[in-house]
Amino acid sequence: MDYQKLSKELSYALRHAPHEYELELDEQGWVPIKQLLLSLHEQRKWRAVTEEDLHKMIALSEKKRHEINQGKIRALYGHSVPQKIHKEEKEPPAYLFHGTPQRFLDSILASGLVPKGRQYVHLSEDVQTAQQVGKRRDDHPVLLRIDARQAWQDGVKFYHGNELVWLADHVQKEYISVY
Ligand code: HQG
């Protein structure tokens, strides 16, 4: 079983295209594992996938992208489905980080961080994670530091993604500096 491929397929299904899999996300993004498996089994390459494989996939992944609880599974972040996924509000650490390609810098410093194609802006708890996120699109990404404590005190909402990923609706430019 190629668990990395399975993880990509699940991210696609649970973040972006549940309807292609005849799935409906609830307001926190959960779907019943039974329904997901029925849908996956329609594809030849996934006809033998079991619930045990989903657990294994999560355990083997270098990032915690998916979560299983009480017979359901969800993507923890990254959604682009039209229906807004409700995330738990949480007080952030003093600083959060965001890695982005050089070419986006001027625009971000002018209008802040906006969610673009996703439902939320994605922020990293640590510099190394932000660096990796930025490297997906630029060999020498820019690292931004978000004054999350100040933003939180000013009423900006932050949400928990996983241990390393934080979410926000929009981060205004006054909280952003080049790190
Ligand atoms: C940029 C992956 C111009 C923003 C990653 C980013 C992450 C602006 C891009 C997760 C802007 C959106 C999310 C503005 C933001 N002007 N550009 N005002 N505001 N941007 O992919 O944060 O591996 O939607 O800097 O690791 O790169 O799939 O967000 O470059 O955790 O699990 O617009 O996805 O996780 O790109 O990545 P994305 P992201 P997985």
Side-chain angles (χ1 to χ4, degrees):
M1 177 86 44
D2 185 335
Y3 289 107
Q4 197 181 349
K5 260 201 180 139
L6 180 60
S7 174
K8 284 192 177 167
E9 179 112 21
L10 287 203
S11 288
Y12 176 68
L14 299 174
R15 292 173 175 179
H16 309 301
H19 290 297
E20 280 183 34
Y21 296 76
E22 290 173 73
L23 296 171
E24 210 166 308
L25 308 187
D26 77 7
E27 51 182 31
Q28 271 115 32
W30 296 103
V31 299
I33 288 176
K34 276 201 180 119
Q35 279 177 23
L36 173 70
L37 289 176
L38 276 177
S39 176
L40 287 175
H41 291 164
E42 286 174 16
Q43 293 186 58
R44 176 186 279 266
K45 64 174 179 286
W46 301 126
R47 66 171 186 262
V49 177
T50 63
E51 179 162 354
E52 201 43 51
D53 288 319
L54 301 179
H55 284 279
K56 226 169 167 179
M57 172 199 83
I58 291 172
L60 289 172
S61 174
E62 84 288 6
K63 283 185 180 179
K64 192 163 170 16
R65 298 183 170 94
H66 309 104
E67 177 179 40
I68 287 176
N69 190 25
Q70 296 190 334
K72 293 182 177 178
I73 185 165
R74 68 172 174 177
L76 285 165
Y77 58 87
H79 299 87
S80 71
V81 286
Q83 155 212 3
K84 183 102 182 213
I85 302 299
H86 180 83
K87 299 303 293 182
E88 183 201 342
E89 257 185 70
K90 210 171 161 190
E91 181 173 353
Y95 294 106
L96 288 168
F97 300 90
H98 181 88
T100 191
Q102 297 272 355
R103 62 184 183 279
F104 293 163
L105 184 60
D106 290 348
S107 168
I108 292 173
L109 293 179
S111 47
L113 284 166
V114 296
K116 293 287 178 116
R118 302 190 201 256
Q119 295 189 355
Y120 296 94
V121 171
H122 287 60
L123 303 166
S124 303
E125 175 125 3
D126 62 304
V127 173
Q128 197 202 341
T129 304
Q131 186 86 27
Q132 282 165 4
V133 174
K135 281 205 164 156
R136 286 153 54 238
R137 298 196 178 101
D138 187 336
D139 288 342
H140 302 285
V142 185
L143 281 186
L144 303 175
R145 191 179 78 168
I146 316 304
D147 190 348
R149 177 161 295 155
Q150 188 60 55
W152 170 264
Q153 283 169 0
D154 293 347
V156 176
K157 290 178 181 164
F158 290 85
Y159 312 90
H160 192 239
N162 68 19
E163 292 73 18
L164 297 174
V165 177
W166 286 79
L167 306 171
D169 302 301
H170 173 207
V171 180
Q172 289 103 314
K173 61 181 177 189
E174 56 262 40
Y175 304 113
I176 301 174
S177 51
V178 175
Y179 186 62

